[in-house]
Amino acid sequence: MNKILIANRGEIAVRIIRACKEMNIKTVAVYSEIDKDAMHTRLADETVCIGPANSGKSYLNFKNIIEAANITGADSIHPGFGFLSENSQFAKICEESNIKFIGPSYKVIELMGNKSNAKELMKSAGVPVVPGSDGSVRGIKDAIYIAKKIGYPVILKAAAGGGGKGIRVANNQEELESNYNLVKQEAKLSFNDDEIYIEKFIKNPRHVEIQVLADEYGNVVHLGERDCTVQRKHQKVIEETPSTAIDEKLRNKMGEAAIKAVKASGYTSCGTVEFLVDSDKNFYFMEMNTRIQVEHPITEERTGIDIVKEQIKIAAGEKLKLKQKDIEFRGCSIECRINAENPSKYFMPCPGTITGLNLPGGNGIRIDTAIYEGYAIPPTYDSMIAKIIVHGANRNEAISKMKRALEETVIEGVDTNIDFLFQIIKNHNFIRGDFDTSFIENEILKKEV
Ligand code: MV4
């Protein structure tokens, strides 16, 4: 690999450019008209404007991105996360254009994109799944029959969904009958695919995911878990590793299940296997994310492994040098996502120019960001502007570091969620590791202000 085009923006584009520089790989940034002065545009060796601010016409524009790769002689494309990262059609077009897509094959992206098919495959591979329909539901009668068998409450999910879009809970048959059509309509509208599946609703679960690396020769390792239970409206807010919900024994079991999932699907590249963990410590496969994720740095801090470099080496056809027994898990790492938004106004995004900036530093603190003083955060893209990642010998130390880091942080000119993050970090139940997916709604938002 000689030259990588990064088909993304913001902190992940910067993260990838940095990995390339350390590997002596040339970089091409693509940017929309509004991102002319963005950090990723400034850091890359070459830049190509791929269209107007609207991401449909720029960061999602297949034709312009492929053309940018051809013009600059880039031999590969890193999609980052979001945008084209899980678009199997784009991955296919890269392959047909003789450009290496840095990620799994388009066939695996397609397979995992249908959550119902992915679940069936996992079930047959012996990975634990939530009881529910065998594949998709055939009709309302089928749904009622399955719900009776597994017992209420049940959850209806769009097969093409994921990450929280197109899901609804039904507590009884009446709710099932009304929600069935609603989810089908939502699925049709959002994904142009009205396939849905049904499963037992797990109350107050934890979201625990396993990071994996798989090369093109069948070598697979897992890099432990991330606990992403602290979310608001399906947006992760704080992630940590290790999870306070699992112990060494469960980590090994979930790691082995994740490796099984990877091998059963022929997955290559870095990826994440998402599980729900219930209050009795049972775990169930949810979905697989076929990309590098926002929260990958906490795994890097805890294992000392550069996941983006590993991902690039795998795409270049190298063999994984890492062996499972050599992977060590050290201390605790926590990430806070800083968003330009106003928590007291329903978390409304707050774009604007950064007039003053002081980012934290010192022992055990890492900042992944693409902002700088004077930078104008455009209103066009998502509001996440920085990630604070801490690493400490244990969870208490990591929490202390995060408190200090949040206190040191000054971002002027736009509203941010820094005070909101601080409320979570100092919350008694958070400190005790006692929370589930309802934590922000029930413990933070109901009680304060
Ligand atoms: C569930 C569930 C309970 N039971 N499935 C939400 C997004 C998607 N990734 C899966 N989701 C859920 N699936 C069963 N069978 C609860 C959720 C869920 C959730 C999961 C992880 C983190 C936060 C969540 C918030 C609400 C619901």
Side-chain angles (χ1 to χ4, degrees), residues 43-180:
L43 288 183
D45 297 314
E46 289 171 77
T47 61
V48 181
C49 182
I50 49 165
N54 181 322
S55 51
K57 294 183 170 156
S58 49
Y59 296 106
L60 293 172
N61 187 326
F62 287 20
K63 189 174 149 282
N64 288 3
I65 292 170
I66 297 284
E67 220 165 271
N70 287 334
I71 290 167
T72 55
D75 45 38
S76 45
I77 295 181
H78 197 307
F81 48 65
F83 295 126
L84 297 171
S85 59
E86 296 186 281
N87 189 313
S88 60
Q89 266 177 296
F90 180 71
K92 187 165 185 229
I93 285 167
C94 286
E95 193 177 302
E96 287 163 0
S97 310
N98 236 344
I99 297 165
K100 182 76 192 174
F101 177 84
I102 302 177
S105 72
Y106 76 87
K107 284 191 179 122
V108 179
I109 300 175
E110 199 170 273
L111 173 69
M112 293 302 179
N114 184 309
K115 311 299 165 188
S116 171
N117 291 348
K119 186 182 172 187
E120 280 309 290
L121 176 71
M122 293 312 151
K123 193 161 66 178
S124 59
V127 178
V129 299
V130 186
S133 51
D134 294 320
S136 296
V137 187
R138 284 179 295 277
I140 182 65
K141 277 192 185 142
D142 193 29
I144 291 168
Y145 173 79
I146 294 159
K148 258 194 196 126
K149 205 167 69 179
I150 61 179
Y152 289 95
V154 298
I155 185 165
L156 294 160
K157 298 182 174 183
K165 269 193 279 178
I167 65 170
R168 258 166 212 267
V169 177
N171 291 297
N172 49 54
Q173 186 170 327
E174 200 185 331
E175 286 181 12
L176 176 61
E177 283 173 28
S178 54
N179 286 343
Y180 180 84

Side-chain angles (χ1 to χ4, degrees), residues 119 130-131 154-155 157 162-165 167 169 197-208 228-236 274-276 284 286-287 436-438:
K119 186 182 172 187
V130 186
V154 298
I155 185 165
K157 298 182 174 183
K165 269 193 279 178
I167 65 170
V169 177
Y197 63 110
I198 188 169
E199 53 190 30
K200 178 97 187 151
F201 179 64
I202 310 291
K203 281 190 196 137
N204 307 325
R206 303 269 293 223
H207 171 130
V208 181
C228 311
T229 302
V230 179
Q231 308 194 0
R232 182 187 158 269
K233 293 190 186 294
H234 303 295
Q235 292 290 327
K236 293 168 187 169
E274 269 186 32
F275 296 98
L276 285 187
Y284 311 95
M286 279 292 109
E287 46 193 76
D436 59 50
T437 50
S438 71

